[in-house]
Amino acid sequence: MRITSVAQARAAYHDRNTSDATVWTQQVAIGPHGVVSRYTYTVPAGRKALVASAYARWRRVTVAAPVGKITLFLNQGVGSGMNADIHNLLNTVDAIESISGPGGLFMGPASGVVCNTGDLGTGGTCDYSATHFITEFDA
Amino acid sequence: MSVDSSALPAGATVAQYLTKKWGIKTRLVPLSVVAVLTTPTRVVKNNPRRFALIVVNNGTGSVFVGWDNGVTISNGLPLSASGGSITLLADEDGELTCGEMIAIAAAGGNNLSVWEVESL
């Protein structure tokens, strides 16, 4: 008796039922606020995800009096790495700060990303925009 | 039983060899294609004249084979997808060669190609 098997190549991640799981936020002329979660994403069971890149941009719309700490955080992983962080006291109209976060992180089930903003000033408004470009696929 | 191998054409050397070895003339049975279900599915009937059997899984999922209706995806011999095969020869495998073969799969849509050599 001879039994033969044929080695089976597994499809690459990008051919395993991929879907776009990109998350983003765009907040326009927002006044002072405590830390607020703008979006979260969690990898579902049976799936994995690749963070291709992350981007965050902040802009001062009207001045604060007095200015307080501005924060725009992008985190990825479970309570781990911060991959983009804007943190300033700029108080000039049209002051802009932006940052691109690194991509390439593969996340397993229950891992994910978070975007938080905060403005501890008094008065004044700011724009906040951020995104994580995410591709999700079968584990 | 003995067969006069000189009755075969002079160039039919393999047939002459097998006739001497097995004592009887044989033939290749035409291809049979069997669609394996998720319940025990007969691949070949019991055939006491069968000397050789080749079964190839041309499906995209594994198929599991055995020799009675108790075969499951847990206890059967696995034939991997896209070309996994089993070859049985009377000289090596005895009665397994001519017994009824049953197959089962975790999902439908897997075809087995079956070739047999049997005595005339």
Side-chain angles (χ1 to χ4, degrees):
Chain A
M1 181 186 302
R2 282 167 284 168
I3 298 177
T4 60
S5 293
V6 178
Q8 300 296 308
R10 190 175 189 216
Y13 74 89
H14 45 73
D15 289 328
R16 295 207 303 267
N17 193 26
T18 53
S19 60
D20 179 11
T22 294
V23 283
W24 61 280
T25 184
Q26 187 171 37
Q27 305 293 327
V28 178
I30 299 297
H33 58 281
V35 174
V36 173
S37 175
R38 298 299 178 181
Y39 62 70
T40 63
Y41 164 78
T42 302
V43 183
R47 302 278 278 172
K48 290 183 179 177
L50 166 66
V51 178
S53 66
Y55 175 76
R57 179 182 185 271
W58 167 89
R59 170 179 171 266
R60 169 67 67 185
V61 178
T62 58
V63 296
V67 69
K69 185 172 62 179
I70 294 291
T71 55
L72 174 49
F73 292 155
L74 302 185
N75 288 38
Q76 61 189 41
V78 179
S80 56
M82 179 179 299
N83 68 331
D85 169 20
I86 291 174
H87 192 171
N88 68 44
L89 291 169
L90 300 175
N91 199 23
T92 305
V93 171
D94 267 346
I96 293 174
E97 186 174 352
S98 64
I99 187 169
S100 293
L105 174 69
F106 285 91
M107 300 185 296
S111 188
V113 302
V114 173
C115 171
N116 294 330
T117 66
D119 178 356
L120 301 184
T122 299
T125 56
C126 303
D127 293 342
Y128 305 81
S129 56
T131 186
H132 276 90
F133 293 98
I134 298 172
T135 297
E136 192 180 286
F137 51 95
D138 286 346
Chain B
M1 178 168 47
S2 96
V3 173
D4 180 7
S5 60
S6 65
L8 293 165
T13 51
V14 172
Q16 291 175 4
Y17 168 77
L18 292 177
T19 300
K20 287 182 178 177
K21 181 180 181 184
W22 286 336
I24 194 166
K25 292 180 182 176
T26 57
R27 71 169 190 129
L28 177 64
V29 178
L31 169 67
S32 166
V33 176
V34 178
V36 179
L37 308 177
T38 56
T39 53
T41 306
R42 185 165 62 197
V43 180
V44 289
K45 297 178 181 177
N46 176 61
N47 180 0
R49 296 190 301 152
R50 185 185 304 125
F51 275 86
L53 173 67
I54 299 175
V55 178
V56 180
N57 178 12
N58 288 316
T60 56
S62 293
V63 168
F64 303 83
V65 299
W67 283 267
D68 62 47
N69 278 321
V71 66
T72 69
I73 60 173
S74 300
N75 65 19
L77 290 174
L79 302 184
S80 62
S82 302
S85 68
I86 182 170
T87 302
L88 298 169
L89 189 62
D91 297 309
E92 298 175 356
D93 305 306
E95 294 292 327
L96 286 177
T97 309
C98 48
E100 180 183 56
M101 179 179 281
I102 304 293
I104 192 169
N110 296 295
N111 285 350
L112 299 178
S113 294
V114 181
W115 288 271
E116 301 175 69
V117 173
E118 66 178 10
S119 61
L120 291 173

mmCIF file of all heavy atoms in Angstrom, chain B residues 60-104:
data_model
loop_
_atom_site.group_PDB
_atom_site.id
_atom_site.type_symbol
_atom_site.label_atom_id
_atom_site.label_comp_id
_atom_site.label_asym_id
_atom_site.label_seq_id
_atom_site.Cartn_x
_atom_site.Cartn_y
_atom_site.Cartn_z
ATOM 1 N N THR B 60 -10.672 19.672 -3.482
ATOM 2 C CA THR B 60 -9.931 20.717 -2.767
ATOM 3 C C THR B 60 -9.949 20.507 -1.257
ATOM 4 O O THR B 60 -9.380 21.305 -0.517
ATOM 5 C CB THR B 60 -10.516 22.101 -3.075
ATOM 6 O OG1 THR B 60 -11.911 22.098 -2.758
ATOM 7 C CG2 THR B 60 -10.343 22.455 -4.550
ATOM 8 N N GLY B 61 -10.605 19.450 -0.816
ATOM 9 C CA GLY B 61 -10.612 19.121 0.613
ATOM 10 C C GLY B 61 -10.160 17.692 0.811
ATOM 11 O O GLY B 61 -10.209 16.871 -0.109
ATOM 12 N N SER B 62 -9.709 17.384 2.012
ATOM 13 C CA SER B 62 -9.254 16.026 2.303
ATOM 14 C C SER B 62 -10.423 15.046 2.279
ATOM 15 O O SER B 62 -11.557 15.406 2.600
ATOM 16 C CB SER B 62 -8.575 15.977 3.678
ATOM 17 O OG SER B 62 -7.371 16.702 3.656
ATOM 18 N N VAL B 63 -10.099 13.817 1.885
ATOM 19 C CA VAL B 63 -11.063 12.723 1.891
ATOM 20 C C VAL B 63 -10.459 11.607 2.740
ATOM 21 O O VAL B 63 -9.240 11.430 2.775
ATOM 22 C CB VAL B 63 -11.331 12.226 0.449
ATOM 23 C CG1 VAL B 63 -12.099 10.915 0.449
ATOM 24 C CG2 VAL B 63 -12.092 13.289 -0.336
ATOM 25 N N PHE B 64 -11.325 10.860 3.427
ATOM 26 C CA PHE B 64 -10.852 9.810 4.329
ATOM 27 C C PHE B 64 -11.472 8.483 3.891
ATOM 28 O O PHE B 64 -12.679 8.414 3.663
ATOM 29 C CB PHE B 64 -11.227 10.149 5.769
ATOM 30 C CG PHE B 64 -10.675 11.481 6.207
ATOM 31 C CD1 PHE B 64 -11.335 12.663 5.892
ATOM 32 C CD2 PHE B 64 -9.475 11.561 6.889
ATOM 33 C CE1 PHE B 64 -10.819 13.900 6.263
ATOM 34 C CE2 PHE B 64 -8.946 12.794 7.260
ATOM 35 C CZ PHE B 64 -9.617 13.958 6.948
ATOM 36 N N VAL B 65 -10.635 7.472 3.786
ATOM 37 C CA VAL B 65 -11.130 6.204 3.270
ATOM 38 C C VAL B 65 -10.936 5.084 4.288
ATOM 39 O O VAL B 65 -10.077 5.152 5.169
ATOM 40 C CB VAL B 65 -10.431 5.806 1.942
ATOM 41 C CG1 VAL B 65 -10.683 6.847 0.862
ATOM 42 C CG2 VAL B 65 -8.944 5.596 2.149
ATOM 43 N N GLY B 66 -11.774 4.062 4.128
ATOM 44 C CA GLY B 66 -11.700 2.876 4.970
ATOM 45 C C GLY B 66 -12.404 1.739 4.264
ATOM 46 O O GLY B 66 -12.800 1.859 3.100
ATOM 47 N N TRP B 67 -12.576 0.639 4.997
ATOM 48 C CA TRP B 67 -13.133 -0.553 4.355
ATOM 49 C C TRP B 67 -14.457 -1.013 4.963
ATOM 50 O O TRP B 67 -14.873 -2.136 4.779
ATOM 51 C CB TRP B 67 -12.099 -1.690 4.385
ATOM 52 C CG TRP B 67 -11.047 -1.495 3.344
ATOM 53 C CD1 TRP B 67 -11.029 -1.996 2.087
ATOM 54 C CD2 TRP B 67 -9.860 -0.702 3.458
ATOM 55 N NE1 TRP B 67 -9.916 -1.557 1.406
ATOM 56 C CE2 TRP B 67 -9.181 -0.779 2.220
ATOM 57 C CE3 TRP B 67 -9.299 0.072 4.475
ATOM 58 C CZ2 TRP B 67 -7.981 -0.112 1.980
ATOM 59 C CZ3 TRP B 67 -8.114 0.723 4.241
ATOM 60 C CH2 TRP B 67 -7.460 0.632 2.999
ATOM 61 N N ASP B 68 -15.086 -0.121 5.691
ATOM 62 C CA ASP B 68 -16.442 -0.423 6.140
ATOM 63 C C ASP B 68 -17.179 0.885 6.393
ATOM 64 O O ASP B 68 -16.579 1.969 6.340
ATOM 65 C CB ASP B 68 -16.457 -1.330 7.376
ATOM 66 C CG ASP B 68 -15.786 -0.687 8.565
ATOM 67 O OD1 ASP B 68 -16.069 0.490 8.860
ATOM 68 O OD2 ASP B 68 -14.961 -1.367 9.214
ATOM 69 N N ASN B 69 -18.451 0.794 6.681
ATOM 70 C CA ASN B 69 -19.267 2.003 6.828
ATOM 71 C C ASN B 69 -19.003 2.762 8.115
ATOM 72 O O ASN B 69 -19.617 3.796 8.361
ATOM 73 C CB ASN B 69 -20.755 1.644 6.739
ATOM 74 C CG ASN B 69 -21.200 1.509 5.289
ATOM 75 O OD1 ASN B 69 -20.768 2.280 4.440
ATOM 76 N ND2 ASN B 69 -22.021 0.512 5.007
ATOM 77 N N GLY B 70 -18.103 2.258 8.929
ATOM 78 C CA GLY B 70 -17.751 2.966 10.155
ATOM 79 C C GLY B 70 -16.705 4.042 9.932
ATOM 80 O O GLY B 70 -16.269 4.694 10.882
ATOM 81 N N VAL B 71 -16.308 4.252 8.694
ATOM 82 C CA VAL B 71 -15.252 5.229 8.435
ATOM 83 C C VAL B 71 -15.770 6.648 8.727
ATOM 84 O O VAL B 71 -16.919 6.990 8.425
ATOM 85 C CB VAL B 71 -14.742 5.122 6.979
ATOM 86 C CG1 VAL B 71 -15.807 5.506 5.979
ATOM 87 C CG2 VAL B 71 -13.509 5.994 6.793
ATOM 88 N N THR B 72 -14.911 7.432 9.364
ATOM 89 C CA THR B 72 -15.230 8.829 9.671
ATOM 90 C C THR B 72 -14.021 9.687 9.308
ATOM 91 O O THR B 72 -12.952 9.162 8.955
ATOM 92 C CB THR B 72 -15.531 9.029 11.166
ATOM 93 O OG1 THR B 72 -14.315 8.845 11.907
ATOM 94 C CG2 THR B 72 -16.583 8.057 11.661
ATOM 95 N N ILE B 73 -14.200 10.989 9.438
ATOM 96 C CA ILE B 73 -13.066 11.875 9.154
ATOM 97 C C ILE B 73 -12.021 11.803 10.266
ATOM 98 O O ILE B 73 -10.958 12.393 10.159
ATOM 99 C CB ILE B 73 -13.518 13.342 8.948
ATOM 100 C CG1 ILE B 73 -14.216 13.868 10.201
ATOM 101 C CG2 ILE B 73 -14.433 13.458 7.751
ATOM 102 C CD1 ILE B 73 -14.527 15.359 10.131
ATOM 103 N N SER B 74 -12.332 11.073 11.311
ATOM 104 C CA SER B 74 -11.363 10.909 12.397
ATOM 105 C C SER B 74 -10.584 9.601 12.302
ATOM 106 O O SER B 74 -9.432 9.525 12.730
ATOM 107 C CB SER B 74 -12.077 10.952 13.759
ATOM 108 O OG SER B 74 -12.726 12.181 13.926
ATOM 109 N N ASN B 75 -11.227 8.553 11.767
ATOM 110 C CA ASN B 75 -10.542 7.256 11.782
ATOM 111 C C ASN B 75 -10.130 6.761 10.393
ATOM 112 O O ASN B 75 -9.468 5.736 10.264
ATOM 113 C CB ASN B 75 -11.404 6.192 12.484
ATOM 114 C CG ASN B 75 -12.702 5.899 11.736
ATOM 115 O OD1 ASN B 75 -12.830 6.196 10.559
ATOM 116 N ND2 ASN B 75 -13.667 5.315 12.439
ATOM 117 N N GLY B 76 -10.523 7.482 9.330
ATOM 118 C CA GLY B 76 -10.177 7.027 7.985
ATOM 119 C C GLY B 76 -8.747 7.355 7.615
ATOM 120 O O GLY B 76 -8.074 8.163 8.271
ATOM 121 N N LEU B 77 -8.275 6.710 6.555
ATOM 122 C CA LEU B 77 -6.958 7.053 6.010
ATOM 123 C C LEU B 77 -7.108 8.342 5.214
ATOM 124 O O LEU B 77 -7.896 8.397 4.270
ATOM 125 C CB LEU B 77 -6.454 5.936 5.085
ATOM 126 C CG LEU B 77 -6.053 4.619 5.736
ATOM 127 C CD1 LEU B 77 -5.714 3.591 4.660
ATOM 128 C CD2 LEU B 77 -4.867 4.821 6.658
ATOM 129 N N PRO B 78 -6.363 9.369 5.565
ATOM 130 C CA PRO B 78 -6.553 10.651 4.880
ATOM 131 C C PRO B 78 -5.898 10.686 3.505
ATOM 132 O O PRO B 78 -4.742 10.293 3.344
ATOM 133 C CB PRO B 78 -5.888 11.659 5.823
ATOM 134 C CG PRO B 78 -4.885 10.872 6.575
ATOM 135 C CD PRO B 78 -5.402 9.467 6.672
ATOM 136 N N LEU B 79 -6.657 11.147 2.530
ATOM 137 C CA LEU B 79 -6.115 11.441 1.204
ATOM 138 C C LEU B 79 -6.162 12.955 1.061
ATOM 139 O O LEU B 79 -7.243 13.551 0.996
ATOM 140 C CB LEU B 79 -6.941 10.783 0.101
ATOM 141 C CG LEU B 79 -7.090 9.256 0.156
ATOM 142 C CD1 LEU B 79 -7.853 8.761 -1.072
ATOM 143 C CD2 LEU B 79 -5.731 8.581 0.243
ATOM 144 N N SER B 80 -5.013 13.579 1.027
ATOM 145 C CA SER B 80 -4.969 15.040 1.016
ATOM 146 C C SER B 80 -5.558 15.596 -0.276
ATOM 147 O O SER B 80 -5.671 14.896 -1.286
ATOM 148 C CB SER B 80 -3.537 15.531 1.200
ATOM 149 O OG SER B 80 -2.731 15.083 0.134
ATOM 150 N N ALA B 81 -5.925 16.879 -0.225
ATOM 151 C CA ALA B 81 -6.563 17.532 -1.363
ATOM 152 C C ALA B 81 -5.609 17.640 -2.552
ATOM 153 O O ALA B 81 -4.389 17.572 -2.398
ATOM 154 C CB ALA B 81 -7.023 18.926 -0.949
ATOM 155 N N SER B 82 -6.181 17.752 -3.715
ATOM 156 C CA SER B 82 -5.437 18.048 -4.951
ATOM 157 C C SER B 82 -4.327 17.055 -5.235
ATOM 158 O O SER B 82 -3.196 17.435 -5.542
ATOM 159 C CB SER B 82 -4.864 19.468 -4.891
ATOM 160 O OG SER B 82 -5.890 20.414 -4.696
ATOM 161 N N GLY B 83 -4.616 15.784 -5.095
ATOM 162 C CA GLY B 83 -3.645 14.796 -5.532
ATOM 163 C C GLY B 83 -3.251 13.728 -4.537
ATOM 164 O O GLY B 83 -2.467 12.838 -4.879
ATOM 165 N N GLY B 84 -3.761 13.764 -3.341
ATOM 166 C CA GLY B 84 -3.485 12.685 -2.398
ATOM 167 C C GLY B 84 -4.014 11.374 -2.948
ATOM 168 O O GLY B 84 -5.071 11.345 -3.576
ATOM 169 N N SER B 85 -3.283 10.284 -2.738
ATOM 170 C CA SER B 85 -3.710 9.035 -3.372
ATOM 171 C C SER B 85 -3.399 7.831 -2.502
ATOM 172 O O SER B 85 -2.589 7.904 -1.577
ATOM 173 C CB SER B 85 -3.021 8.871 -4.731
ATOM 174 O OG SER B 85 -1.631 8.654 -4.544
ATOM 175 N N ILE B 86 -4.064 6.720 -2.835
ATOM 176 C CA ILE B 86 -3.763 5.432 -2.216
ATOM 177 C C ILE B 86 -3.674 4.394 -3.331
ATOM 178 O O ILE B 86 -4.478 4.415 -4.268
ATOM 179 C CB ILE B 86 -4.827 5.050 -1.161
ATOM 180 C CG1 ILE B 86 -4.458 3.712 -0.498
ATOM 181 C CG2 ILE B 86 -6.219 4.997 -1.756
ATOM 182 C CD1 ILE B 86 -5.318 3.393 0.706
ATOM 183 N N THR B 87 -2.670 3.549 -3.241
ATOM 184 C CA THR B 87 -2.468 2.489 -4.228
ATOM 185 C C THR B 87 -2.454 1.156 -3.500
ATOM 186 O O THR B 87 -1.723 0.997 -2.513
ATOM 187 C CB THR B 87 -1.131 2.688 -4.966
ATOM 188 O OG1 THR B 87 -1.132 3.964 -5.592
ATOM 189 C CG2 THR B 87 -0.930 1.605 -6.014
ATOM 190 N N LEU B 88 -3.246 0.234 -3.971
ATOM 191 C CA LEU B 88 -3.320 -1.095 -3.366
ATOM 192 C C LEU B 88 -2.945 -2.143 -4.401
ATOM 193 O O LEU B 88 -3.362 -2.050 -5.567
ATOM 194 C CB LEU B 88 -4.738 -1.371 -2.856
ATOM 195 C CG LEU B 88 -5.251 -0.441 -1.755
ATOM 196 C CD1 LEU B 88 -6.740 -0.649 -1.540
ATOM 197 C CD2 LEU B 88 -4.494 -0.684 -0.461
ATOM 198 N N LEU B 89 -2.169 -3.110 -3.975
ATOM 199 C CA LEU B 89 -1.727 -4.176 -4.867
ATOM 200 C C LEU B 89 -1.934 -5.503 -4.145
ATOM 201 O O LEU B 89 -1.551 -5.645 -2.980
ATOM 202 C CB LEU B 89 -0.241 -3.975 -5.202
ATOM 203 C CG LEU B 89 0.350 -4.875 -6.280
ATOM 204 C CD1 LEU B 89 -0.337 -4.644 -7.625
ATOM 205 C CD2 LEU B 89 1.849 -4.606 -6.407
ATOM 206 N N ALA B 90 -2.548 -6.451 -4.831
ATOM 207 C CA ALA B 90 -2.893 -7.728 -4.199
ATOM 208 C C ALA B 90 -1.679 -8.382 -3.549
ATOM 209 O O ALA B 90 -1.772 -8.947 -2.456
ATOM 210 C CB ALA B 90 -3.513 -8.662 -5.238
ATOM 211 N N ASP B 91 -0.508 -8.302 -4.201
ATOM 212 C CA ASP B 91 0.695 -8.947 -3.663
ATOM 213 C C ASP B 91 1.090 -8.387 -2.299
ATOM 214 O O ASP B 91 1.643 -9.080 -1.457
ATOM 215 C CB ASP B 91 1.865 -8.760 -4.629
ATOM 216 C CG ASP B 91 1.598 -9.421 -5.956
ATOM 217 O OD1 ASP B 91 1.231 -10.609 -5.961
ATOM 218 O OD2 ASP B 91 1.728 -8.730 -6.978
ATOM 219 N N GLU B 92 0.827 -7.075 -2.112
ATOM 220 C CA GLU B 92 1.254 -6.417 -0.874
ATOM 221 C C GLU B 92 0.135 -6.285 0.144
ATOM 222 O O GLU B 92 0.367 -6.359 1.343
ATOM 223 C CB GLU B 92 1.793 -5.009 -1.179
ATOM 224 C CG GLU B 92 3.013 -5.008 -2.087
ATOM 225 C CD GLU B 92 3.433 -3.605 -2.469
ATOM 226 O OE1 GLU B 92 2.726 -2.643 -2.084
ATOM 227 O OE2 GLU B 92 4.448 -3.456 -3.158
ATOM 228 N N ASP B 93 -1.063 -6.079 -0.348
ATOM 229 C CA ASP B 93 -2.145 -5.688 0.549
ATOM 230 C C ASP B 93 -3.239 -6.731 0.703
ATOM 231 O O ASP B 93 -4.204 -6.501 1.429
ATOM 232 C CB ASP B 93 -2.753 -4.370 0.051
ATOM 233 C CG ASP B 93 -1.692 -3.296 -0.104
ATOM 234 O OD1 ASP B 93 -0.983 -3.048 0.884
ATOM 235 O OD2 ASP B 93 -1.556 -2.728 -1.197
ATOM 236 N N GLY B 94 -3.102 -7.839 0.005
ATOM 237 C CA GLY B 94 -4.035 -8.945 0.190
ATOM 238 C C GLY B 94 -5.478 -8.557 -0.011
ATOM 239 O O GLY B 94 -5.837 -7.863 -0.974
ATOM 240 N N GLU B 95 -6.311 -8.940 0.952
ATOM 241 C CA GLU B 95 -7.756 -8.758 0.816
ATOM 242 C C GLU B 95 -8.178 -7.291 0.819
ATOM 243 O O GLU B 95 -9.279 -6.961 0.371
ATOM 244 C CB GLU B 95 -8.481 -9.501 1.945
ATOM 245 C CG GLU B 95 -8.347 -11.016 1.875
ATOM 246 C CD GLU B 95 -9.089 -11.604 0.680
ATOM 247 O OE1 GLU B 95 -10.125 -11.040 0.305
ATOM 248 O OE2 GLU B 95 -8.614 -12.602 0.122
ATOM 249 N N LEU B 96 -7.320 -6.412 1.333
ATOM 250 C CA LEU B 96 -7.677 -4.995 1.286
ATOM 251 C C LEU B 96 -7.869 -4.539 -0.156
ATOM 252 O O LEU B 96 -8.644 -3.621 -0.437
ATOM 253 C CB LEU B 96 -6.588 -4.140 1.940
ATOM 254 C CG LEU B 96 -6.494 -4.171 3.467
ATOM 255 C CD1 LEU B 96 -5.318 -3.321 3.934
ATOM 256 C CD2 LEU B 96 -7.788 -3.676 4.110
ATOM 257 N N THR B 97 -7.161 -5.184 -1.059
ATOM 258 C CA THR B 97 -7.223 -4.775 -2.461
ATOM 259 C C THR B 97 -8.601 -5.013 -3.062
ATOM 260 O O THR B 97 -9.089 -4.207 -3.858
ATOM 261 C CB THR B 97 -6.178 -5.553 -3.279
ATOM 262 O OG1 THR B 97 -4.926 -5.449 -2.629
ATOM 263 C CG2 THR B 97 -6.087 -5.021 -4.694
ATOM 264 N N CYS B 98 -9.234 -6.102 -2.673
ATOM 265 C CA CYS B 98 -10.498 -6.452 -3.315
ATOM 266 C C CYS B 98 -11.718 -6.145 -2.456
ATOM 267 O O CYS B 98 -12.849 -6.348 -2.899
ATOM 268 C CB CYS B 98 -10.505 -7.905 -3.762
ATOM 269 S SG CYS B 98 -9.960 -9.060 -2.529
ATOM 270 N N GLY B 99 -11.502 -5.617 -1.279
ATOM 271 C CA GLY B 99 -12.644 -5.300 -0.435
ATOM 272 C C GLY B 99 -13.339 -4.018 -0.859
ATOM 273 O O GLY B 99 -12.780 -3.183 -1.575
ATOM 274 N N GLU B 100 -14.576 -3.866 -0.402
ATOM 275 C CA GLU B 100 -15.320 -2.630 -0.669
ATOM 276 C C GLU B 100 -14.608 -1.466 0.026
ATOM 277 O O GLU B 100 -14.232 -1.569 1.195
ATOM 278 C CB GLU B 100 -16.745 -2.767 -0.141
ATOM 279 C CG GLU B 100 -17.594 -1.536 -0.375
ATOM 280 C CD GLU B 100 -18.986 -1.688 0.227
ATOM 281 O OE1 GLU B 100 -19.093 -1.961 1.444
ATOM 282 O OE2 GLU B 100 -19.969 -1.540 -0.521
ATOM 283 N N MET B 101 -14.420 -0.367 -0.698
ATOM 284 C CA MET B 101 -13.775 0.810 -0.101
ATOM 285 C C MET B 101 -14.820 1.911 0.079
ATOM 286 O O MET B 101 -15.622 2.181 -0.821
ATOM 287 C CB MET B 101 -12.619 1.321 -0.971
ATOM 288 C CG MET B 101 -11.942 2.567 -0.392
ATOM 289 S SD MET B 101 -10.566 3.161 -1.407
ATOM 290 C CE MET B 101 -9.287 2.015 -0.916
ATOM 291 N N ILE B 102 -14.771 2.545 1.240
ATOM 292 C CA ILE B 102 -15.732 3.591 1.593
ATOM 293 C C ILE B 102 -14.955 4.886 1.859
ATOM 294 O O ILE B 102 -13.867 4.863 2.449
ATOM 295 C CB ILE B 102 -16.527 3.202 2.865
ATOM 296 C CG1 ILE B 102 -17.215 1.851 2.670
ATOM 297 C CG2 ILE B 102 -17.524 4.288 3.237
ATOM 298 C CD1 ILE B 102 -18.308 1.851 1.634
ATOM 299 N N ALA B 103 -15.530 6.003 1.449
ATOM 300 C CA ALA B 103 -14.884 7.309 1.683
ATOM 301 C C ALA B 103 -15.881 8.268 2.321
ATOM 302 O O ALA B 103 -17.097 8.110 2.205
ATOM 303 C CB ALA B 103 -14.388 7.894 0.367
ATOM 304 N N ILE B 104 -15.321 9.262 2.991
ATOM 305 C CA ILE B 104 -16.142 10.302 3.611
ATOM 306 C C ILE B 104 -15.322 11.590 3.618
ATOM 307 O O ILE B 104 -14.080 11.542 3.592
ATOM 308 C CB ILE B 104 -16.576 9.886 5.049
ATOM 309 C CG1 ILE B 104 -17.666 10.822 5.571
ATOM 310 C CG2 ILE B 104 -15.372 9.858 5.987
ATOM 311 C CD1 ILE B 104 -18.318 10.312 6.864
#
